[in-house]
Amino acid sequence: MYGNYKFGWCALLAGAVALSGCTSLFQGKQYVFPRPDEPSATVRLKYERGTTLDAMTFNEKGCYAGFTPLSYTGDFIESPVAVGKELVLTYRKVVGGGQCQIPFSFTPQDGATYTLKTGFWSETKTGILPIFTSDQYYCGIGLVKKVGDQESIEPIQQLHIETGFACLTFVK
């Protein structure tokens, strides 16, 4: 009987350790945020319930290695990011019973603030017979870059996941 309690405590302890902030255990290789003394840009998104924004990481072969959720500050998901190299983010929003998920990339510039703008819409599609219709739902993102007082639309590259043997990559 004592052995069962010992096993139970070990399992409970292992579960507590796994769930108590050891995010890299579940999320893989973590994104390295710039230190305060390093050049950086800011990425921000108006927070709405069911919304996440994750920074993707890759190994030296370009294979997916993990993700890091960007932090929430008040009404925004906002975080400093490294500049001068491609940044891959995944925007995710759960809407009703569906999910919008868009992986994309761009190269941040030092001192710039990048604000994501999102949208959702639907279109009614007619089936084989006109009485059979269905709504198809879509989502999209845009990126507004602000440097000083100048704002511009920043081009992004929407990515798609390509699977391979033991390697997931994001392709343009």
Side-chain angles (χ1 to χ4, degrees):
M1 186 173 222
Y2 177 75
N4 288 341
Y5 285 117
K6 190 174 183 181
F7 175 77
W9 278 106
C10 288
L12 181 62
L13 180 61
V17 167
L19 296 175
S20 66
C22 297
T23 56
S24 62
L25 179 66
F26 297 111
Q27 297 168 341
K29 179 181 173 186
Q30 297 293 283
Y31 177 78
V32 178
F33 293 98
R35 294 186 319 261
D37 62 332
E38 294 179 324
S40 67
T42 301
V43 172
R44 64 187 308 192
L45 168 67
K46 176 84 172 144
Y47 175 74
E48 296 175 8
R49 186 173 175 222
T51 303
T52 60
L53 187 61
D54 300 325
M56 303 289 117
T57 56
F58 301 88
N59 65 19
E60 59 281 344
K61 295 179 182 177
C63 298
Y64 171 79
F67 70 97
T68 305
L70 300 187
S71 60
Y72 298 81
T73 52
D75 291 339
F76 288 90
I77 297 173
E78 186 172 68
S79 181
V81 293
V83 298
K85 58 184 177 180
E86 184 178 40
L87 173 66
V88 178
L89 298 173
T90 297
Y91 163 76
R92 188 175 299 106
K93 167 93 177 175
V94 176
V95 180
Q99 175 176 286
C100 170
Q101 181 171 313
I102 303 173
F104 65 98
S105 70
F106 68 102
T107 302
Q109 175 187 332
D110 188 22
T113 298
Y114 297 89
T115 304
L116 271 76
K117 302 292 184 179
T118 62
F120 299 90
W121 66 95
S122 66
E123 293 179 4
T124 301
K125 298 289 183 181
T126 304
I128 295 173
L129 298 174
I131 60 170
F132 297 110
T133 62
S134 64
D135 289 332
Q136 290 187 333
Y137 296 92
Y138 302 92
C139 62
I141 60 170
L143 194 60
V144 177
K145 173 183 169 183
K146 184 174 183 180
V147 179
D149 293 336
Q150 298 291 327
E151 284 189 353
S152 60
I153 303 297
E154 180 75 6
I156 60 170
Q157 181 65 52
Q158 188 166 345
L159 305 172
H160 303 280
I161 297 172
E162 186 174 275
T163 59
F165 184 71
C167 181
L168 294 175
T169 57
F170 287 80
V171 293
K172 299 172 183 175

